[in-house]
Amino acid sequence: MAMSAMIASPPSYWLTDSGSSHHVTPDTASLNYDIPYNGTEQLFVGVGKGLCISHTGHALIHTSNATFLPNDVLLVPKASHNLL
């Protein structure tokens, strides 16, 4: 199997999660403005695992009915989904 076939592409859709405390994306391309994150906080997922935050920024999300500009989006490269 080719190496490129083993690398999953980032999700292009956003999941709404009413239990989420932050907006999260694993994809740098989802942010239209980002700054490096130098803090020590991590994003903790359901199994108790902490994931490192690399940047924070603003996203631009287009839907068929509206455009959203969430602020303070966390870039978490090891996150599996975009979360609102």
Side-chain angles (χ1 to χ4, degrees):
M1 179 180 288
M3 182 62 102
S4 61
M6 295 172 35
I7 300 171
S9 62
S12 60
Y13 54 89
W14 288 77
L15 299 175
T16 54
D17 182 357
S18 61
S20 179
S21 59
H22 293 85
H23 305 302
V24 176
T25 184
D27 183 19
T28 308
S30 293
L31 299 179
N32 65 348
Y33 172 77
D34 64 82
I35 56 172
Y37 177 74
N38 296 315
T40 59
E41 298 287 327
Q42 293 184 330
L43 175 73
F44 285 91
V45 294
V47 295
K49 182 178 179 181
L51 304 178
C52 293
I53 302 165
S54 67
H55 291 76
T56 61
H58 308 292
L60 188 60
I61 304 169
H62 298 283
T63 70
S64 57
N65 298 321
T67 299
F68 300 94
L69 182 66
N71 297 316
D72 302 320
V73 178
L74 303 178
L75 178 62
V76 180
K78 292 194 177 187
S80 60
H81 294 84
N82 293 316
L83 296 176
L84 285 176

